[in-house]
Amino acid sequence: MKVGVLALQGSFKDHVEMLKKCNVEPIEVRLPRDTEDIEALIIPGGESTTIIKLLIEYQLDIIIKQRHSEGMPIYGTCAGAIVLAKEIVGSKQPTLGLMDISVKRNAYGRQIESFEAMIDIEKIGKFPGIFIRAPIIEATSNGAKVIATLENKAVMVEQGNILVSTFHPELTDDVRVHKYFLSKIIR
Ligand code: GLN
């Protein structure tokens, strides 16, 4: 099984390593043709403005939307969640708009740029959440379902075969979130 990791910018290497631990073949996606054989895609953390700009420049937005409409699961971590959101609060920046969430960038404030917190994920259980300049998911609509919260704010949301988390499971040794995501692949 081949799973793509968008490799334009950000922490894609950690997802690549995580996929290897899950016994799947990671494919670094930089150009539309790199998506040809993948059965799922991970959009990593990084700088969402840069990732979106490059996505559009390389016309990866079109192919990702098309592959998703044909059933390809997508998981976005942190900046990846922003890239997938329908709306960025206070910004007109385009996104892939595939998930019915509204996100606010860098919303935990400067004093607490990074922190760790134990969270409880539906169907997975307790999980160490690593948050780095994380966005806050302010609202969800339609079929977007909150599956983990921290202080009453959504930190993980699922909508059909799209999953987002505002934390970084790829920075832990715990493969459960990635395995959960991979279970969305229908073969
Ligand atoms: N602050 C970044 C952004 O807004 C996200 C940070 C991250 O992905 N770790 O794009």
Side-chain angles (χ1 to χ4, degrees), residues 6 9 11 15 42-49 51-52 55 74-85 95-99 101 103 135 162-168 170:
L6 190 66
Q9 192 268 340
S11 68
H15 282 291
I42 295 178
I43 304 180
E47 260 328 298
S48 52
T49 42
I51 296 174
I52 293 167
L55 262 182
I74 307 178
Y75 173 31
T77 51
C78 204
I82 300 170
V83 173
L84 285 163
T95 60
L96 290 177
L98 292 173
M99 192 181 232
I101 54 172
V103 298
I162 302 192
L163 186 67
V164 299
S165 65
T166 60
F167 56 94
H168 293 269
E170 77 282 7

Side-chain angles (χ1 to χ4, degrees), residues 1-111:
M1 187 182 347
K2 292 179 180 171
V3 172
V5 183
L6 190 66
L8 300 172
Q9 192 268 340
S11 68
F12 57 90
K13 287 280 178 209
D14 299 301
H15 282 291
V16 164
E17 292 312 312
M18 206 55 160
L19 288 174
K20 286 183 193 159
K21 277 188 209 156
C22 296
N23 294 319
V24 305
E25 185 183 336
I27 304 284
E28 294 187 8
V29 172
R30 295 190 176 83
L31 293 169
R33 65 163 181 264
D34 300 330
T35 63
E36 270 165 26
D37 296 334
I38 63 174
E39 293 182 66
L41 176 71
I42 295 178
I43 304 180
E47 260 328 298
S48 52
T49 42
T50 311
I51 296 174
I52 293 167
K53 189 172 154 273
L54 294 173
L55 262 182
I56 295 170
E57 206 169 300
Y58 297 130
Q59 299 187 324
L60 275 159
D61 53 336
I62 301 165
I63 188 81
I64 291 171
K65 282 187 202 166
Q66 189 198 321
R67 291 295 316 275
H68 174 255
S69 74
E70 293 161 4
M72 180 182 75
I74 307 178
Y75 173 31
T77 51
C78 204
I82 300 170
V83 173
L84 285 163
K86 277 256 155 77
E87 187 196 26
I88 306 174
V89 177
S91 163
K92 294 227 176 334
Q93 181 168 37
T95 60
L96 290 177
L98 292 173
M99 192 181 232
D100 289 304
I101 54 172
S102 172
V103 298
K104 193 169 176 193
R105 295 182 60 207
N106 304 323
Y108 287 96
R110 281 209 191 130
Q111 289 84 344

